[in-house]
Amino acid sequence: MSSRHPTLQRRDSRVAPLPRRYSDSGENGHKRLVRRMSSFETMSTAPVIFSLRNEVGALNNIISLFRENDIQVRGVELRKPQRKNSEVELFVDCEGKKGMLRELIQQLNEQLHRIEISEEDRKREATIDKEMKNLPWFPKKISELDKSSNNVLMFGEELDADHPGYRDVAYRERRKMFAQIAAGYRHGMPITRIEFTEEETDMWNQVFRELQNLYPTHACKEYLVNFKTLCDEGIYKFGEIPQLEDISVFLKERTGFQVRPVAGYLSPRDFLAGLAFRVFHSTQYIRHPTNPLYTPEPDSIHDIIGHVPMLADRSFAQFSQEIGLASLGAAEADVTKLASCYFFTVEFGLCKQDGQLRAYGAGLLSSISELRFALSPTAIIKPFNPIDVIHQECRITTFQDSYFQSESFPEAKKQIREYAASIQHSFGIRYDPYNTPRASRSLRQTSGEIMNAVDELKDDLKVLNDALSRIQSI
């Protein structure tokens, strides 16, 4: 491939469609990852009927069990007892995690004379269990990314025969070291700092200098603002390759994104799942020195220079996360389509600013050759539309046949959101940034649960509205 395209710089996305020989293979069955969803993470409602003695303090003792198990009581109804006049019967409509509800019912059984769950509710729970069992596995809290982040499909420590570094023993040993660092990483750990070689630093200097000269006339405003900030804070500099730990701290302070090291290509499902938690998987290795304008996989230069400045923009960070959220639990065909949307926006997207075409895709912003080509009269530019994009071939060894232009990030985000709504899910997904460090996905299965989420959003909007009113009154 490199001999046929000696002037092309490789600008790969780790969510591009895989070569045919990888499409149905991979450790642990990457074509379809299916695991049982933890019942403790599934939100559920249950109407519970029980009897208790009509005496002082009896009800308070029972209600305390609901509180201890983090079960929300949505309504209580006093009913005529069916057995003894010395007892009272209560109908309690409650909500909580399924596993905690089971714990509660077990505790109630130990203390009460009679407890029932309606047959209708039992049938509904059985239906939900069946649906959840058939879903592809996906992480429901950020620490569960540890289970999928090492499922590298290719370009890890093992290199293909056509890779520029295949016959370079020292380079392969270096790649093995980076793979071991990524394999040993767990959520919450500081990212290992790398002592880069002089040869690797020279490679960084060469690409950094050339791209820096192109950005004023080729990069979008959002990229330029954050690129300058990264330079001003000393994270980007000539003569020193940035450390992932410093980048992760920088991003977390600005958009909530963080970085975790990865050894090579992940499957589209695993990579997009990280975005759902605002986690970006980044390589730490540098392309082989024989050709700084070519690399057969995304390297640290691509990830650091291409992706990081855009992930520091709030609107773009949310846009990236929404693609990730839409992928969770989706069918394999839908994940592939979302990966194509990611490829032609986050990797190779273009936008119009002040009447001029500008790049915001990381594959372009980290590629000297293709950045020039994509903004030249020779390139074919089409308006971004997810329906068109999912049928466009994603090329990872040559320039793209076509590029897609969005009028703005909010417009692209709106289109992605509308497209994601067409993907069939048996549940709703909401990101919970407050439950750190778990950052869990809340599965919304009832109208009551959805209304609770709406109420939380209303509270957030009220805070923003109050702040706006104060500003306007000054």
Side-chain angles (χ1 to χ4, degrees):
M1 289 184 289
S2 58
S3 61
R4 288 183 297 169
H5 305 287
T7 62
L8 302 186
Q9 179 182 356
R10 178 62 175 229
R11 354 43 81 225
D12 298 61
S13 161
R14 61 186 58 68
V15 297
L18 299 175
R20 183 174 298 276
R21 66 182 182 275
Y22 292 104
S23 60
D24 294 306
S25 63
E27 186 180 354
N28 299 328
H30 296 288
K31 184 66 177 175
R32 183 174 177 82
L33 299 175
V34 182
R35 300 183 190 175
R36 176 165 175 76
M37 182 177 298
S38 170
S39 63
F40 276 83
E41 296 300 325
T42 306
M43 297 298 292
S44 182
T45 59
V48 180
I49 304 170
F50 57 87
S51 301
L52 71 161
R53 290 188 179 88
N54 189 6
E55 57 187 36
V56 176
L59 181 59
N60 283 339
N61 293 336
I62 297 303
I63 293 298
S64 66
L65 293 178
F66 285 78
R67 194 178 302 116
E68 290 168 5
N69 287 281
D70 200 23
I71 303 299
Q72 180 182 358
V73 176
R74 306 196 309 175
V76 179
E77 179 183 336
L78 185 65
R79 294 183 173 183
K80 182 178 179 180
Q82 298 181 6
R83 301 176 63 191
K84 300 178 181 178
N85 291 332
S86 60
E87 294 181 348
V88 294
E89 185 171 283
L90 292 173
F91 172 92
V92 180
D93 186 14
C94 52
E95 175 185 57
K97 292 180 180 178
K98 186 185 295 184
M100 300 306 291
L101 280 170
R102 289 173 180 165
E103 291 286 332
L104 171 68
I105 291 169
Q106 181 178 345
Q107 293 173 21
L108 291 175
N109 271 319
E110 294 172 355
Q111 298 192 28
L112 300 177
H113 294 171
R114 185 172 69 91
I115 178 168
E116 297 177 1
I117 300 178
S118 69
E119 187 62 28
E120 179 182 351
D121 188 63
R122 291 182 191 275
K123 290 180 179 179
R124 184 176 67 83
E125 291 294 320
T127 300
I128 292 173
D129 279 343
K130 185 177 180 180
E131 291 176 351
M132 293 300 178
K133 188 182 296 185
N134 293 328
L135 283 176
W137 179 87
F138 64 89
K140 292 169 286 298
K141 53 186 178 180
I142 196 169
S143 61
E144 288 185 354
L145 292 176
D146 291 342
K147 300 178 183 179
S148 57
S149 293
N150 288 321
N151 295 333
V152 176
L153 298 187
M154 55 180 171
F155 298 130
E157 60 181 283
E158 297 299 327
L159 304 180
D160 288 348
D162 59 351
H163 191 285
Y166 180 74
R167 291 181 175 83
D168 187 333
V169 177
Y171 182 78
R172 295 189 68 170
E173 283 298 312
R174 190 75 171 159
R175 288 292 293 267
K176 185 176 181 180
M177 180 202 76
F178 286 117
Q180 290 172 344
I181 290 173
Y185 180 83
R186 294 295 180 269
H187 171 68
M189 294 172 55
I191 302 175
T192 301
R193 292 183 176 273
I194 305 299
E195 187 175 339
F196 290 100
T197 65
E198 183 178 347
E199 192 173 47
E200 289 167 338
T201 303
D202 287 343
M203 182 74 63
W204 163 268
N205 290 341
Q206 184 176 347
V207 178
F208 184 76
R209 183 192 298 112
E210 291 292 329
L211 287 172
Q212 197 171 21
N213 292 332
L214 284 175
Y215 287 154
T217 55
H218 288 69
C220 68
K221 293 177 181 177
E222 291 80 359
Y223 183 92
L224 293 174
V225 168
N226 289 309
F227 182 86
K228 182 179 183 302
T229 302
L230 284 156
C231 291
D232 291 344
E233 295 199 8
I235 297 175
Y236 284 3
K237 66 178 74 170
F238 189 81
E240 185 177 330
I241 301 174
Q243 298 288 338
L244 292 191
E245 178 66 18
D246 296 335
I247 289 172
S248 191
V249 171
F250 173 85
L251 287 177
K252 197 166 186 178
E253 290 176 349
R254 283 157 178 78
T255 61
F257 254 89
Q258 52 191 301
V259 176
R260 69 174 293 155
V262 68
Y265 259 95
L266 294 176
S267 71
R269 184 182 296 282
D270 290 339
F271 181 79
L272 294 178
L275 296 180
F277 290 88
R278 298 205 172 203
V279 171
F280 179 74
H281 291 83
S282 175
T283 55
Q284 287 182 292
Y285 54 80
I286 302 295
R287 62 195 62 175
H288 193 265
T290 54
N291 192 345
L293 299 183
Y294 174 85
T295 174
E297 77 271 86
D299 69 339
S300 192
I301 294 176
H302 165 83
D303 290 334
I304 292 173
I305 292 184
H307 283 283
V308 171
M310 292 307 301
L311 289 173
D313 178 82
R314 291 192 174 213
S315 180
F316 189 84
Q318 185 177 356
F319 171 68
S320 300
Q321 184 184 28
E322 290 199 12
I323 297 177
L325 287 170
S327 75
L328 297 181
E332 198 68 30
D334 288 324
V335 171
T336 299
K337 293 174 182 177
L338 286 168
S340 293
C341 290
Y342 177 94
F343 190 86
F344 285 108
T345 53
V346 178
E347 289 290 346
F348 293 98
L350 298 170
C351 64
K352 271 286 185 72
Q353 292 184 339
D354 299 329
Q356 300 295 318
L357 200 60
R358 293 290 183 263
Y360 70 86
L364 297 176
L365 292 165
S366 60
S367 168
I368 300 166
S369 302
E370 190 160 13
L371 182 56
R372 288 174 177 150
F373 173 77
L375 272 67
S376 72
T378 309
I380 298 174
I381 311 297
K382 299 178 180 179
F384 176 73
N385 184 330
I387 301 302
D388 296 331
V389 163
I390 61 177
H391 299 296
Q392 182 73 29
E393 183 180 0
C394 306
R395 296 190 177 276
I396 60 173
T397 58
T398 64
F399 294 164
Q400 302 304 311
D401 292 336
S402 301
Y403 301 91
F404 293 86
Q405 168 202 317
S406 301
E407 292 302 318
S408 65
F409 297 144
E411 177 64 23
K413 189 167 61 178
K414 177 184 176 184
Q415 290 174 291
I416 290 291
R417 185 182 290 123
E418 291 173 349
Y419 176 74
S422 69
I423 296 176
Q424 296 297 315
H425 284 97
S426 58
F427 55 89
I429 298 175
R430 177 173 175 266
Y431 180 66
D432 177 11
Y434 305 108
N435 193 14
T436 55
R438 290 162 48 98
S440 64
R441 311 262 80 70
S442 296
L443 305 186
R444 305 288 170 176
Q445 297 162 335
T446 70
S447 59
E449 291 161 355
I450 294 172
M451 286 304 299
N452 288 340
V454 171
D455 287 341
E456 291 174 15
L457 291 175
K458 286 180 179 177
D459 290 340
D460 291 341
L461 288 173
K462 185 178 184 301
V463 172
L464 291 174
N465 188 61
D466 290 343
L468 179 61
S469 297
R470 284 193 292 271
I471 292 172
Q472 291 175 336
S473 66
I474 296 175

